[in-house]
Amino acid sequence: MDLKATHSSTILTDHTHACNSRLCLPPIVSPVSPTASAYPSSTLYPTFQGRKALSGMLDESHDGVCLDAMKSSSPPHIKLNKDFISDLAIGEHDAAYDAWMMKCPSALSSFKQITNHAKYKKIVLFLDYDGTLSHIVDNPEHAFMSNAMRTAVKNVAKYFSTAIISGRSCHKVYKFVKLGELYYAGSHGMDIMGPVMKNESVSDVPGCTISIEEQGNEVILFQPAKEFLLMINEVQSFLKDVTKDIEGVIVESNKFCVSVHYRLVDEKDWPKVAQCVHHVLKDYPHLQVTHGRRVLEVRPVIDWNKGKAVEFLLEYLGLRTSDDVLPIYVGDDRTDEDAFKILREGKCGYGILVTSVPKQTNAVFSLRDPTEVKKFLKLLVKWKKLEAS
């Protein structure tokens, strides 16, 4: 989606908190001068020694920790192959999942409980994309959502304010979803875009700009990591270079983060992936690595995540301090836990984890897969129609 800024943007950093408008943002970022820098200029273009410098320059203990995290964030799939797994093992897996669901029950079987709590309240829906609205696939460029899922999302957005919060860039996730009436928070919440609210002045929202999307509609744009863009682009180039000899690696640009996918990489080569990423980032102290489902995410070191994006969007919609609001967040990834935690600790909404295996989570409910997510969205629409009638 081509965006053309029509207002100058305030650059944001995470050092101090200031609130001088009606829209009081959480203590995470604060407006500073557009000419100010959040990091020393000397770190903008560090000396990078390339692939040939990998040998003998790696921190083995750090790489070991990184490899452990890669394995823990990539649980093996249960393959229903009689030569590989016994009926007993399948039964044990089902028993473990059933026991886990006592703590994190299905949002489908608990739907009445959810709607009882939602009576006389305004539901705001937050949805992850990969693994939630689309199935996880080997090639991230092929993670298409079905027409039936798109229809379900379109219908639910008619009744509830709806946002997609993804690790992908806004541009990419919008190309998959193709629904202009939604809010989008790409790059793990660092690239927020959505319809301009009536009677809402962009000057009341620190750091926001008005942009024009490709259909010619005005949208709000909020990018708390904007000044890291050149650095992220540079690191992406280095990562492509140092990993190009590792079969199966996909280095994907997601605007304010770089995703290094290792889903197609032989597990024996995972240490090489971890070493390459660590080697590049040792010269970039203002960037960090987080772990997703068989993906390493390179992101700016700022106090911003999917949970902060939820808070921002609720604030922008004028709903964050309202008692008659019920936020519901549906996601499958470790990065969604930040949003689950915000809702759980604030006792203000429900997190729903999409998973077919037991996981430690801050979510309250669960769904097995995108098929169950679609059923849940349809149930919400059906319930709202009945309530209205």
Side-chain angles (χ1 to χ4, degrees):
M1 181 183 334
D2 292 330
L3 297 173
K4 304 173 183 177
T6 58
H7 290 52
S8 61
S9 172
T10 304
I11 297 178
L12 303 173
T13 183
D14 60 333
H15 298 307
T16 58
H17 172 54
C19 181
N20 53 12
S21 73
R22 178 185 65 76
L23 186 72
C24 185
L25 292 175
I28 37 183
V29 294
S30 62
V32 298
S33 165
T35 59
S37 175
Y39 43 84
S41 59
S42 62
T43 65
L44 257 177
Y45 299 100
T47 302
F48 181 71
Q49 300 181 39
R51 280 187 299 128
K52 293 182 179 179
L54 275 175
S55 178
M57 296 185 63
L58 302 172
D59 183 337
E60 292 182 4
S61 63
H62 184 284
D63 296 330
V65 171
C66 184
L67 182 60
D68 289 342
M70 291 168 74
K71 290 180 178 179
S72 66
S73 64
S74 307
H77 295 290
I78 298 297
K79 299 180 180 179
L80 303 181
N81 185 323
K82 64 182 180 182
D83 296 327
F84 179 77
I85 187 168
S86 68
D87 291 339
L88 177 61
I90 295 173
E92 289 175 348
H93 171 264
D94 290 341
Y97 186 77
D98 290 343
W100 174 79
M101 287 188 67
M102 297 293 290
K103 298 180 180 179
C104 196
S106 167
L108 296 179
S109 61
S110 306
F111 190 76
K112 186 174 182 180
Q113 176 185 342
I114 295 172
T115 52
N116 284 343
H117 191 196
K119 280 185 178 179
Y120 313 114
K121 293 190 176 185
K122 184 180 296 185
I123 290 178
V124 184
L125 199 57
F126 301 95
L127 304 168
D128 183 26
Y129 183 75
D130 292 275
T132 300
L133 299 181
S134 72
H135 290 277
I136 296 293
V137 295
D138 290 338
N139 188 332
E141 298 298 324
H142 297 161
F144 304 110
M145 68 189 302
S146 67
N147 289 331
M149 180 66 86
R150 183 174 294 103
T151 298
V153 175
K154 184 177 181 66
N155 288 338
V156 84
K158 293 176 182 178
Y159 298 95
F160 313 108
S161 296
T162 303
I164 310 295
I165 301 186
S166 172
R168 294 178 182 265
S169 67
C170 263
H171 174 74
K172 286 185 177 179
V173 76
Y174 181 85
K175 285 181 68 176
F176 281 123
V177 179
K178 301 176 183 177
L179 296 174
E181 60 267 39
L182 309 183
Y183 290 88
Y184 293 87
S187 300
H188 300 288
M190 292 179 284
D191 188 17
I192 297 177
M193 179 189 71
V196 176
M197 290 183 61
K198 294 179 180 179
N199 304 319
E200 182 70 60
S201 171
V202 73
S203 61
D204 290 338
V205 188
C208 273
T209 64
I210 295 287
S211 295
I212 307 298
E213 49 98 341
E214 59 187 13
Q215 277 77 35
N217 300 315
E218 283 191 338
V219 294
I220 61 123
L221 199 62
F222 180 69
Q223 299 174 329
K226 184 175 181 179
E227 62 182 308
F228 290 88
L229 189 57
L230 289 178
M231 182 184 291
I232 288 291
N233 289 339
E234 182 178 82
V235 166
Q236 180 201 357
S237 177
F238 288 147
L239 287 171
K240 282 188 173 181
D241 180 55
V242 299
T243 61
K244 64 184 181 182
D245 292 333
I246 304 176
E247 186 176 355
V249 170
I250 298 175
V251 178
E252 180 188 18
S253 170
N254 283 305
K255 194 156 189 175
F256 296 110
C257 65
V258 181
S259 303
V260 182
H261 299 271
Y262 55 92
R263 182 169 297 277
L264 296 177
V265 176
D266 191 304
E267 189 168 344
K268 67 179 176 58
D269 290 330
W270 287 9
K272 294 180 183 178
V273 179
Q275 289 166 358
C276 287
V277 173
H278 171 53
H279 178 60
V280 170
L281 290 194
K282 69 183 179 63
D283 290 323
Y284 291 88
H286 299 283
L287 300 180
Q288 62 181 326
V289 178
T290 59
H291 297 262
R293 293 178 63 176
R294 303 205 178 188
V295 60
L296 300 177
E297 304 276 9
V298 177
R299 304 159 60 177
V301 180
I302 62 172
D303 187 16
W304 196 266
N305 52 45
K306 290 183 176 182
K308 303 293 188 183
V310 167
E311 291 182 321
F312 173 84
L313 286 168
L314 289 173
E315 191 83 51
Y316 177 73
L317 293 168
L319 301 174
R320 188 176 176 198
T321 59
S322 178
D323 293 330
D324 64 347
V325 175
L326 182 66
I328 296 177
Y329 189 109
V330 187
D332 76 305
D333 197 76
R334 179 182 289 190
T335 57
D336 297 312
E337 291 294 330
D338 293 313
F340 297 156
K341 186 177 181 181
I342 288 288
L343 299 183
R344 191 181 196 105
E345 292 183 349
K347 298 180 180 179
C348 60
Y350 292 132
I352 301 177
L353 176 65
V354 183
T355 180
S356 60
V357 296
K359 292 182 181 179
Q360 186 175 354
T361 182
N362 284 298
V364 179
F365 299 109
S366 63
L367 293 166
R368 278 186 176 267
D369 52 34
T371 300
E372 287 200 351
V373 173
K374 183 174 62 178
K375 290 180 182 178
F376 179 76
L377 298 180
K378 288 182 175 181
L379 281 176
L380 281 176
V381 171
K382 183 178 180 180
W383 167 76
K384 191 64 178 179
K385 286 180 177 180
L386 289 173
E387 188 185 49
S389 63

